[in-house]
Amino acid sequence: MRVLVVGAGAVGQVYGRHLQLGGADVTFFVRDQYRATTAAGFTLYPLNRRDKAAPIRFEGFQVATSPAEVGSVDVVLLTVSSPALRGGWLANLVAATGGATYVVLQPGLDDRKIVEQAGVSADRIVSGVISLLSYPAPLPGETRFPEPGMAYWFPPASPSLFSGSADRVAAIVATLRAGKQPAKRTVDAAKAAMFPSAAMMPYLVALEAAGWSFRGLVRSPHAALAARGAREALAIVGRAHVARIPFGIRFAARRSIIRTGLWFARRVVPLPLETYLKEHFTKVGAQTREMMEHYIALGAAAGQSVEALTELLAALPAPASSSSARVLSS
């Protein structure tokens, strides 16, 4: 299998490595200014291993910076943020990659539609759900790693989900599994992700509004607002997609989930979660805001309550300057 990984950041490096371990011929598609650093290879820290601080090297892949360099590929894996999908570059890439399968890993409700509008027929699109945590290490205050690299962790019993054409999905899942990355086929990966995303986004916004402090969030009025926002977002997504909210997800719309979730996370997640969330979601802040705005627009158009979502969004600090120059390395 010949795989083009669009983006060589926290997600792209991990998927690229495990696809390569599974036998795939991997090429990274990045902006020209990142060609040299990408071609030099990556240092990775798989946190599922016992020796979490031992670095490994990821090399032996190709690098392309323009559609003309890509050549023939079987799969194009989109690992950039949702806002980064916009722009003429995607249509140019689609035109150069023939009948390749396009794997959409972005969480936005309209991301699949954007890929279709770029020229990929629906039967060639595979929807995917990212279940791993990955970040540039070390995080501020982290001292366990001997050199900078990308640390990542596969949560237990949480494989990456994929849906689409049976043959296309089977090839991707089999290659990832052969490369020791948990992966599984599901009926509708996009639907499986939309409710957890809708429940999570208001809490992330509330956490940012509380200065990325768990203690500050628990003690602030933003905690109750986040629970209300989660209920609103879940109702909006359920109505927009004519889907029933999964029973387990309903618990995420309760304020008590914050304390329960933090208690559990501190005992299971092998990384400083508070710092990770701040670093990662600050970087993809435009995506978070875009998703919140989409929920509000959908709800308002349907006459549903968006009061808490609107208040949460207004509580955010002004967004940082655009990271569009880095969209192919995010």
Side-chain angles (χ1 to χ4, degrees):
M1 178 188 293
R2 295 160 296 181
V3 180
L4 181 71
V5 181
V6 180
V11 175
Q13 289 182 32
V14 177
Y15 276 84
R17 178 190 180 234
H18 287 276
L19 286 165
Q20 185 189 74
L21 289 175
D25 180 1
V26 173
T27 299
F28 281 101
F29 187 68
V30 298
R31 286 186 177 271
D32 190 62
Q33 61 261 43
Y34 304 117
R35 177 189 288 273
T37 54
T38 303
F42 304 112
T43 296
L44 301 178
Y45 295 98
L47 299 181
N48 293 85
R49 302 180 308 167
R50 177 171 298 180
D51 189 356
K52 295 176 175 55
I56 62 168
R57 289 293 297 168
F58 174 27
E59 301 168 326
F61 48 77
Q62 305 299 312
V63 181
T65 60
S66 70
E69 293 182 79
V70 171
S72 177
V73 295
D74 302 303
V75 174
V76 178
L77 190 73
L78 300 171
T79 72
V80 297
S81 69
S82 295
L85 292 178
R86 292 162 176 76
W89 70 269
L90 181 56
N92 293 335
L93 182 63
V94 171
T97 51
T101 298
Y102 270 70
V103 182
V104 180
L105 295 175
Q106 291 69 26
L109 297 177
D110 285 342
D111 292 332
R112 180 186 175 100
K113 185 184 299 182
I114 292 171
V115 176
E116 289 186 30
Q117 291 171 344
V120 184
S121 58
D123 64 296
R124 292 196 288 123
I125 296 178
V126 168
S127 296
V129 178
I130 300 170
S131 61
L132 61 92
L133 300 184
S134 182
Y135 65 93
L139 291 169
E142 208 173 19
T143 60
R144 57 178 165 171
F145 300 113
E147 60 180 294
M150 198 67 71
Y152 66 95
W153 178 61
F154 298 131
S158 300
S160 295
L161 301 177
F162 298 91
S163 64
S165 166
D167 291 344
R168 294 176 189 270
V169 171
I172 295 163
V173 169
T175 305
L176 285 171
R177 285 180 173 175
K180 307 302 182 184
Q181 177 170 338
K184 179 182 176 181
R185 183 186 177 196
T186 190
V187 174
D188 191 337
K191 186 171 290 187
M194 68 182 184
F195 284 118
S197 294
M200 179 179 69
M201 287 300 155
Y203 287 102
L204 284 172
V205 171
L207 181 61
E208 183 175 356
W212 297 107
S213 165
F214 290 151
R215 178 176 295 181
L217 174 59
V218 169
R219 294 179 175 180
S220 79
H222 292 111
L225 193 61
R228 286 172 50 209
R231 289 194 292 272
E232 290 179 352
L234 288 170
I236 290 165
V237 169
R239 177 166 180 169
H241 293 269
V242 195
R244 179 176 297 178
I245 303 171
F247 178 76
I249 296 297
R250 293 177 185 271
F251 288 98
R254 298 181 179 181
R255 182 175 177 176
S256 60
I257 194 66
I258 297 177
R259 294 183 184 275
T260 304
L262 291 178
W263 180 90
F264 182 77
R266 288 191 178 108
R267 287 156 177 77
V268 176
V269 180
L271 54 98
L273 187 58
E274 187 176 70
T275 307
Y276 163 78
L277 291 173
K278 177 181 179 180
E279 294 293 314
H280 177 72
F281 285 100
T282 297
K283 183 178 180 181
V284 298
Q287 177 174 280
T288 301
R289 286 168 173 79
E290 183 177 276
M291 293 182 71
M292 290 286 288
E293 289 167 356
H294 195 177
Y295 296 144
I296 292 169
L298 284 175
Q304 294 172 275
S305 173
V306 295
E307 180 183 352
L309 291 171
T310 302
E311 190 173 341
L312 280 169
L313 192 59
L316 286 180
S321 59
S322 171
S323 61
S324 59
R326 295 180 59 86
V327 295
L328 297 185
S329 64
S330 303

